[in-house]
Amino acid sequence: MSEFINYPLVAAFIAIIFSQFVKVPVAYLLKRKTSLALMTSTGGMPSSHSAGVAALITALTVDYGANSPLVAIAATFGVIVIFDSMGVRRQSGEHGIIINELIADLDILRKQVFHLSKREEVYTREHERHSREYLGHKPIEVFFGILTGIAIAFILREVLSWFAY
């Protein structure tokens, strides 16, 4: 089977793409703000970062065994990616929320001080800068990303086995 496609690579990419697409219906079911832009955004449920590395690690383990140096490399890479998505990137997103609140507060103050007209308010609203808020993942999003990646690796393996004979 592996001679036809690079199973670990395909599993990782399918997991990433699937996770990005499923964010919209999941957000809708969780009664969160929903738009098609979620499919290309970072953050959200499930974590496509976690799904991708989990699928890669799972596929490599299935193909080469748990003692393979490839699994060791992928697992190390996966841990770094997952911790980064929950740590540094999550903190950056939380900073984005605070920065956006400060911008909104400054805008209110500016309107009060300068008594802006409606036309000027529309112009400034169109040219406001916002920091991106959803950069990282909550632990539950990472958990479901990992489960998604593992499931996709096994499902893909099963589907590919149908074509092996």
Side-chain angles (χ1 to χ4, degrees):
M1 172 183 1
S2 294
E3 63 242 16
F4 298 114
I5 67 162
N6 186 333
Y7 162 60
L9 181 64
V10 172
F13 279 123
I14 288 174
I16 291 166
I17 292 166
F18 176 81
S19 295
Q20 286 301 120
F21 277 104
V22 80
K23 286 180 183 187
V24 174
V26 168
Y28 178 78
L29 291 173
L30 295 174
K31 299 185 184 339
R32 295 187 178 153
K33 185 178 169 185
T34 311
S35 77
L36 291 179
L38 281 174
M39 284 192 274
T40 59
S41 70
T42 57
M45 170 83 84
S47 164
S48 58
H49 298 84
S50 302
V53 295
L56 177 64
I57 295 165
T58 303
L60 287 170
T61 303
V62 167
D63 264 2
Y64 301 103
N67 291 331
S68 167
L70 296 174
V71 173
I73 292 167
T76 303
F77 164 72
V79 168
I80 292 168
V81 168
I82 289 169
F83 275 107
D84 181 62
S85 74
M86 282 193 311
V88 175
R89 296 178 72 247
R90 177 106 182 122
Q91 286 297 314
S92 297
E94 289 176 6
H95 290 155
I97 292 169
I98 293 168
I99 289 168
N100 288 340
E101 289 172 359
L102 287 171
I103 290 171
D105 290 345
L106 285 172
D107 191 44
I108 291 168
L109 181 64
R110 187 174 49 82
K111 288 174 186 173
Q112 291 172 346
V113 170
F114 295 109
H115 306 288
L116 294 176
S117 69
K118 288 288 183 194
R119 184 175 178 197
E120 290 167 317
E121 285 182 35
V122 170
Y123 175 80
T124 55
R125 209 174 308 122
E126 290 173 353
H127 293 85
E128 283 181 353
R129 287 187 159 192
H130 287 286
S131 181
R132 292 189 63 191
E133 295 179 359
Y134 301 105
L135 297 173
H137 294 285
K138 297 175 185 171
I140 191 78
E141 296 168 343
V142 168
F143 176 73
F144 280 102
I146 292 169
L147 291 181
T148 300
I150 292 169
I152 286 175
F154 281 116
I155 291 168
L156 178 62
R157 182 70 174 186
E158 184 64 27
V159 169
L160 292 176
S161 72
W162 297 340
F163 300 103
Y165 299 104

